[in-house]
């Protein structure tokens, strides 16, 4: 088993990187504020745990030998992130971006987030349920900490821009999500 500090550092480094879930959290923080966006963290935690725990406990060896299934999961992720990008781009002017970001959307986005697969197959140690429980608890706490960082970043950094030009902020977030989606798809097809 790896040390808790090495595990925490690796998880933080991965979770802090921009991605589809973090983009949704930042946009919600900008539109609704941190306090009103806190329920979204439940969707993120449940999404990560739904993927990470079973993959770590049951499927890691299977996916390592069946790369086509792993690639299919990445392709599903790319399609979902594209859907989110298009949805953000086409929101009517009168619709608040924050209200389009629901716990359900954060949950599905997190379930399809490639970070979950990396955490399960690379970062999470292998072992019995009893050995993994402290790592799963630490992972859950780190998700909360990182979610608060992204909600706060949205609230403090994006909110000013969003008040002056909400459509511009939505379009930039949409383009960012589309680039992520194309990167995922390119990785699946060996383009990137």
């Amino acid at each position: 088993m790896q040390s808790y500090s090495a595990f925490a550092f690796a998880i933080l480094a991965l979770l802090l990187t921009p991605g589809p879930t973090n983009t949704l959290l930042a946009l919600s923080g900008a539109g609704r504020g941190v306090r009103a966006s806190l329920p979204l963290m439940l969707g993120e935690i449940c999404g990560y745990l739904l993927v990470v725990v079973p993959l770590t406990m049951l499927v890691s060896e299977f996916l390592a030998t069946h790369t086509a299934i792993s690639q299919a999961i990445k392709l599903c992720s790319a399609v979902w992130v594209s859907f989110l990008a298009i949805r953000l781009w086409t929101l009517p002017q009168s619709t608040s971006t924050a209200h389009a970001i629901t716990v359900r959307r954060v949950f599905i986005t997190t379930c399809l987030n490639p970070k979950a697969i990396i955490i399960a197959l690379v970062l999470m140690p292998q072992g019995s349920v009893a050995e993994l429980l402290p790592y799963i608890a630490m992972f859950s706490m780190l998700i909360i900490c990182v979610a608060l960082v992204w909600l706060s970043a949205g609230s403090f950094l994006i909110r000013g821009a969003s008040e002056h030009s909400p459509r511009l902020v939505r379009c930039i977030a949409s383009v960012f999500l589309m680039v992520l989606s194309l990167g995922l798809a390119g990785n699946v097809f060996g383009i990137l």
Side-chain angles (χ1 to χ4, degrees), residues 40-129:
L40 298 176
M41 292 190 305
L42 180 63
E44 183 180 13
I45 290 170
C46 290
Y48 271 126
L49 292 179
L50 181 70
V51 174
V52 169
V53 172
L55 280 178
T56 300
M57 308 283 285
L58 306 171
V59 187
S60 60
E61 289 181 31
F62 176 79
L63 283 179
T65 58
H66 295 83
T67 56
I69 295 172
S70 179
Q71 296 294 74
I73 293 169
K74 289 179 186 175
L75 189 58
C76 288
S77 299
V79 170
W80 176 254
V81 174
S82 290
F83 166 77
L84 290 174
I86 292 166
R87 175 83 171 113
L88 270 177
W89 188 273
T90 60
L91 276 176
Q93 188 69 26
S94 61
T95 304
S96 167
T97 303
H99 295 297
I101 300 168
T102 62
V103 172
R104 181 174 171 249
R105 281 215 170 104
V106 170
F107 171 76
I108 293 170
T109 300
T110 304
C111 284
L112 295 171
N113 193 333
K115 289 180 189 180
I117 297 169
I118 294 167
I119 291 165
L121 302 180
V122 178
L123 300 179
M124 192 65 74
Q126 303 296 311
S128 68
V129 174

Side-chain angles (χ1 to χ4, degrees), residues 30 154-169 172:
S155 179
F156 298 120
L157 301 176
I158 299 173
R159 180 172 278 174
S162 185
E163 288 172 356
H164 298 305
S165 184
R167 179 80 179 140
L168 177 63
V169 171
I172 290 170

